């Protein structure tokens, strides 16, 4: 998928969001985008034909996907959703997966909810596909590791805040700082303290699950080789919202304790529903560890990661 295709699909997504989610008429959409009403109709049809818009009928008489049900059982969680990605370059696959996570968040969102969302490179890449949400409060759960050439989660939140009824609370802080006393100072800043306080009463949290290895954790990218080795020697295999877990799902103490600006497991355990997400087979051990810790109640993964998780548990791939 080249840039022109991505831009066209983004246009289809914008039109479809306005029509299907925001209830804007085709006539008003045509005026807003400077195109004819008939072209709007053709583009909306194209959105359906190309999969930008899908329609699901939730018939209670039908069972869930067998593989998704098996994955939920293997992980000991309520539900699992498996995303099939196109055969694109890695960065485009990450963008496609991030869009699927944001759509899953939208499907769980209800008016009046307090929704927490962790910063991740995956959602950073998919920010332009952010769907409309019902009136709610959206809270950033972790500081951000800025990525050159991409939109940031904070920008995504500002985009949301322009939509009627959505109140956003960005966490204006780095993901990792050099010293614990610096972290304490950052946490005392009013805007940071407000966001973290709101994370104490989450209805829904959406959190990335990272593996403690190169290329699989945003925290890994921000620390020295010595710290990476120390965390590995401590038994860390997974990182979720800056908390490190061993293979059994137990929290491990590392040199980064107190230096990551993020919510902790207690806030996630107190949330009514937590949706974890991860993609790529290298994160299989990390997802198992996070599930064992009780960090999430549902998960979104891609088919390659699902195969690794199910295959490792003796299920068909």
């Amino acid at each position: 998928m080249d840039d022109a295709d991505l831009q066209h699909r983004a246009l289809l997504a914008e039109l479809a969001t306005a029509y299907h989610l925001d209830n804007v008429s085709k006539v008003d959409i045509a005026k807003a985008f400077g195109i004819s009403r008939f072209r709007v109709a053709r583009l909306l049809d194209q959105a359906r034909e190309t999969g930008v818009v899908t329609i699901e009928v939730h018939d209670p008489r039908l069972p869930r996907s067998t593989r998704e049900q098996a994955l939920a059982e293997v992980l000991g969680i309520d539900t699992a959703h498996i995303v099939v990605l196109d055969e694109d370059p890695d960065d485009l696959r990450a963008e496609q997966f991030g869009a699927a996570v944001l759509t899953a968040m939208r499907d769980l969102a209800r008016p009046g909810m307090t929704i927490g969302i962790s910063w991740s490179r995956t959602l950073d890449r998919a920010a332009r596909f952010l769907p409309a949400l019902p009136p709610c409060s959206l809270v950033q759960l972790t500081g951000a590791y800025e990525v050159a050439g991409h939109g940031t989660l904070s920008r995504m939140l500002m985009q949301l805040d322009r939509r009627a009824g959505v109140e956003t609370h960005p966490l204006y802080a780095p993901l990792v700082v050099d010293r614990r006393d610096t972290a304490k100072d950052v946490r005392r800043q009013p805007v940071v303290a407000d966001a973290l306080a709101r994370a104490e009463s989450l209805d829904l949290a959406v959190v990335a699950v990272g593996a403690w290895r190169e290329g699989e954790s945003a925290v890994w990218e921000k620390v020295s080789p010595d710290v990476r080795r120390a965390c590995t020697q401590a038994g860390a295999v997974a990182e979720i919202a800056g908390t490190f877990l061993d293979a059994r799902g137990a929290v491990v103490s590392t040199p980064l304790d107190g230096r990551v600006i993020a919510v902790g497991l207690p806030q996630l355990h107190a949330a009514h529903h937590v949706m974890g997400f991860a993609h790529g087979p290298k994160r299989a051990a990390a997802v198992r560890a996070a599930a064992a810790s009780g960090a999430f109640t549902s998960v979104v993964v891609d088919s390659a990661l699902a195969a690794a998780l199910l295959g490792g548990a003796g299920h068909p791939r």
Side-chain angles (χ1 to χ4, degrees):
M1 186 183 298
D2 59 24
D3 287 343
D5 289 333
L6 270 177
Q7 290 176 3
H8 185 64
R9 287 177 71 86
L11 172 62
L12 296 181
E14 287 187 45
L15 295 175
T17 296
Y19 182 70
H20 292 289
L21 300 180
D22 297 338
N23 296 315
V24 181
S25 70
K26 293 177 184 177
V27 172
D28 288 339
I29 293 173
K31 291 178 181 176
F33 284 83
I35 56 180
S36 72
R37 175 171 59 86
F38 303 103
R39 178 160 171 73
V40 170
R42 287 196 297 271
L43 290 171
L44 289 173
D45 288 341
Q46 192 178 118
R48 289 272 304 277
E49 293 165 0
T50 58
V52 172
V53 170
T54 59
I55 295 177
E56 295 184 44
V57 177
H58 297 282
D59 187 336
R61 298 169 297 178
L62 298 177
R64 288 179 295 168
S65 158
T66 302
R67 292 184 76 238
E68 289 178 337
Q69 186 173 5
L71 181 57
E73 291 174 355
V74 164
L75 295 176
I77 59 176
D78 294 340
T79 58
H81 177 56
I82 300 172
V83 179
V84 179
L85 300 177
D86 296 334
E87 293 299 326
D88 286 326
D90 288 345
D91 57 341
L92 295 182
R93 287 166 63 85
E95 187 175 78
Q96 183 186 2
F97 180 73
V101 172
L102 292 173
T103 298
M105 178 181 75
R106 189 273 316 281
D107 292 343
L108 292 170
R110 297 293 181 269
M113 275 188 168
T114 297
I115 301 172
I117 182 169
S118 69
W119 182 92
S120 78
R121 288 171 293 190
T122 297
L123 296 189
D124 186 270
R125 291 187 176 103
R128 67 171 124 174
F129 299 110
L130 180 71
L133 292 173
C136 63
S137 294
L138 196 67
V139 182
Q140 185 175 335
L141 301 180
T142 66
Y145 169 35
E146 302 295 337
V147 180
H150 293 286
T152 65
L153 179 62
S154 296
R155 187 179 304 168
M156 187 174 84
L157 293 180
M158 286 188 288
Q159 179 183 344
L160 262 179
D161 208 28
R162 293 194 293 267
R163 299 179 182 176
V166 177
E167 181 182 90
T168 64
H169 302 276
L171 187 59
Y172 293 115
L175 180 61
V176 183
V177 295
D178 292 335
R179 298 168 55 89
R180 293 184 187 182
D181 54 357
T182 302
K184 290 179 181 178
D185 290 340
V186 171
R187 287 173 177 270
R188 282 196 290 262
Q189 296 301 311
V191 68
V192 175
D194 176 67
L196 294 176
R198 290 177 185 275
E200 297 289 338
S201 54
L202 297 171
D203 296 297
L204 169 64
V206 181
V207 293
V209 180
W212 190 242
R213 57 193 299 171
E214 185 176 2
E216 305 296 332
S217 165
V219 176
W220 177 285
E221 311 297 333
K222 295 293 290 182
V223 299
S224 68
D226 287 344
V227 171
R228 294 170 186 166
R229 283 192 292 271
C231 292
T232 301
Q233 291 168 359
V237 300
E239 175 261 311
I240 183 166
T243 295
F244 293 88
L245 306 170
D246 66 16
R248 298 170 301 168
V251 176
V252 296
S253 180
T254 74
L256 292 173
D257 290 351
R259 290 173 48 193
V260 179
I261 311 299
V263 300
L265 276 188
Q267 286 87 355
L268 297 181
H269 288 155
H272 294 162
H273 184 98
V274 180
M275 183 179 77
F277 65 91
H279 68 98
K282 292 180 180 179
R283 290 193 170 109
V287 171
R288 291 191 192 99
S293 76
F296 54 77
T297 48
S298 69
V299 73
V300 180
V301 299
D302 70 322
S303 53
L305 176 51
L309 290 164
L310 291 171
H315 288 266
R317 300 170 70 92

